[in-house]
Amino acid sequence: MKKLSLITLIATILTLAGCVSSRKVNYLQDMKQNSQIELEHRFEAVIRPYDEITVQITSSDAELTRPFQWNLGTNASNISAPEYLVDVDGNIDLPVLGKLHVDGMTRLQLQDTLTAMLKQSNIISDPFVMVRFKSFKIFFLGATGGKAVTIPNERCTFLEALALAGDINVYTDRSKIAVMREVDGKITTRYLDPRSSTVFNDPYFMLRQNDFIITESRTLKTKRDEVTYWMGWMSSIVSIASLVTTILVYTTLKK
């Protein structure tokens, strides 16, 4: 009976150790099967100073749109959508139309504005305008190492950014992952915890272009120190298991 109790104790210790580790690293631990969460914060990217955007203007009359295109060579078909860098005041300078203030506009709002301007100025009667963000990047610093992640569209959530970055390692403190961004000329920071479903309704869950995600290590130990620590524990557990096995075998043979 005592031998069985000892084995049970060792198994319990191993199980508890695994549970503690899971609680530290598993995502969305309070999510249930088929659970639904109403999102309180919706986000659509807006154009800001220093953003790069492309503006494609087409029409049934290709000749009318020629001033708004970039010809990349002698081949007339080698045409690309022009790229514009938003200046510090939030403006872009368009051919024919001139300077336009775009700071704070969504890409759809800019599309509608340009369409209306082209029609009202009798420049193009049937314009089709397509605006895209060329540079939408999220930056990572801290325990995961420094990297810039390019977002394939203008919508990116906190969890999507972590996935695109290749996830964060087990040594990262998930209880306080900082999202840092510039708002009205000020740097603001919020801490998000992806282990809880409450992260979905954090106002910083929907990321903006040029946000920083900053991570910290769970302890002051280096990765090598922590590996050594857990290897020591595993060695001790194996030694105890070997000792118990030896005692059981010896007892059995003695009988």
Side-chain angles (χ1 to χ4, degrees), residues 118-245:
L118 291 167
K119 288 182 177 180
Q120 292 170 5
S121 302
N122 294 320
I123 299 173
I124 302 176
S125 61
D126 61 341
F128 177 78
V129 181
M130 181 66 68
V131 176
R132 286 284 184 266
F133 285 93
K134 185 176 185 295
S135 60
F136 194 127
K137 293 183 179 180
I138 305 297
F139 299 91
F140 284 79
L141 290 174
T144 54
K147 66 182 73 175
V149 176
T150 300
I151 307 304
N153 53 56
E154 65 268 15
R155 180 188 181 279
C156 182
T157 68
F158 173 67
L159 293 179
E160 286 172 334
L162 295 183
L164 288 170
D167 203 359
I168 50 180
N169 60 48
V170 296
Y171 307 101
T172 301
D173 184 357
R174 284 162 167 76
S175 67
K176 49 181 306 185
I177 300 177
V179 176
M180 185 175 69
R181 72 174 50 147
E182 181 182 348
V183 179
D184 297 328
K186 299 178 181 179
I187 300 298
T188 63
T189 303
R190 284 185 66 88
Y191 288 98
L192 278 66
D193 185 349
R195 300 173 304 170
S196 169
S197 62
T198 58
V199 71
F200 288 116
N201 280 317
D202 191 283
Y204 276 37
F205 179 70
M206 300 299 298
L207 299 180
R208 298 181 181 179
Q209 58 266 48
N210 301 320
D211 276 356
F212 278 80
I213 295 179
I214 303 175
T215 57
E216 300 178 10
S217 296
R218 285 194 283 113
T219 67
L220 295 178
K221 298 177 182 178
T222 64
K223 183 182 293 188
R224 180 178 297 177
D225 291 336
E226 189 151 352
V227 170
T228 302
Y229 172 79
W230 285 110
M231 287 297 292
W233 266 102
M234 291 302 297
S235 177
S236 299
I237 292 170
V238 170
S239 297
I240 293 172
S242 298
L243 178 60
V244 171
T245 302

Side-chain angles (χ1 to χ4, degrees), residues 6-25:
L6 180 58
I7 294 173
T8 303
L9 177 61
I10 294 173
T12 302
I13 292 173
L14 289 172
T15 302
L16 290 176
C19 291
V20 171
S21 177
S22 297
R23 287 198 299 270
K24 289 182 178 179
V25 300

Side-chain angles (χ1 to χ4, degrees), residues 19-37:
C19 291
V20 171
S21 177
S22 297
R23 287 198 299 270
K24 289 182 178 179
V25 300
N26 283 355
Y27 291 109
L28 307 174
Q29 297 174 27
D30 57 341
M31 290 285 286
K32 305 298 182 183
Q33 178 76 3
N34 298 322
S35 60
Q36 296 183 359
I37 298 175

